[in-house]
Amino acid sequence: TLTGHDHAPGHLDGYGPITAEMALRLANDPTGTWHRIITDTAGRMLDYPACTYKPPTALARHVITRDQHCVHPGCRRKATTCELDHRIPYPAGPTSAANLQPLCKRHHMMKHHSDWHVTCTEDGSYDWTSPTKHRYRYRPPELPTPTEEPEPDPPIDYGPPPF
């Protein structure tokens, strides 16, 4: 959309989907800051590895955007306020998108200090097993995906002023 190749909607963090026209207006605002996120054709964000315990800023943004919330089922805490947890503890597990997940402080402590266990599935869902062996699933909300056949935005009729 920003390069003029389609008219797909954008996604504004904390708001949700926005029109292509609004995305272009915001993109051209000289006071704004943009972060590029690259996805595959199915809308899944691509992985990239890091060699340190603390994820680089771009990797942290990637995981936060991908999962959007604490990945414990039923928790609605936004990922931007969560800690990034290594599913396989570092250094045995890498600091990579495939091994990181946002957990709020409460669920992060619960994972490390109780018999709860979490695994990530191929489709990006998180399967949790409780100490009583009950299973629960968290599936992150879908991210917007590009459209194959762009439809032009309808013309905007600003009409006369309302006064």
Side-chain angles (χ1 to χ4, degrees):
T1 300
L2 298 180
T3 62
H5 287 85
D6 67 23
H7 290 69
H11 184 85
L12 185 60
D13 187 37
Y15 180 80
I18 58 173
T19 65
E21 180 183 271
M22 179 58 71
L24 287 169
R25 269 198 227 158
L26 291 171
N28 290 315
D29 181 349
T31 63
T33 302
W34 281 91
H35 303 283
R36 181 182 65 208
I37 298 171
I38 299 174
T39 61
D40 64 14
T41 57
R44 292 182 299 255
M45 293 192 338
L46 302 174
D47 192 14
Y48 86 72
C51 298
T52 62
Y53 173 76
K54 184 178 180 196
T57 303
L59 177 57
R61 273 194 218 114
H62 170 101
V63 172
I64 287 166
T65 302
R66 177 192 69 203
D67 294 327
Q68 302 179 45
H69 296 95
C70 169
V71 299
H72 191 273
C75 186
R76 300 306 300 156
R77 183 168 298 269
K78 285 190 156 281
T80 54
T81 64
C82 290
E83 300 170 347
L84 294 182
D85 170 61
H86 289 79
R87 276 190 293 282
I88 300 168
Y90 182 86
T95 300
S96 69
N99 192 42
L100 291 172
Q101 61 197 5
L103 290 173
C104 69
K105 183 119 180 128
R106 176 180 177 212
H107 292 123
H108 196 181
M109 296 296 286
M110 183 184 78
K111 176 189 169 253
H112 286 289
H113 301 291
S114 72
D115 287 329
W116 281 86
H117 300 282
V118 62
T119 57
C120 188
T121 65
E122 285 186 26
D123 72 354
S125 296
Y126 295 87
D127 288 336
W128 286 80
T129 305
S130 75
T132 60
K133 306 300 181 217
H134 287 86
R135 293 181 184 254
Y136 304 91
R137 176 168 279 191
Y138 170 78
R139 175 143 179 88
E142 295 293 324
L143 293 170
T145 58
T147 58
E148 293 195 21
E149 297 262 341
E151 294 182 21
D153 288 337
I156 297 176
D157 179 14
Y158 291 102
F163 46 86

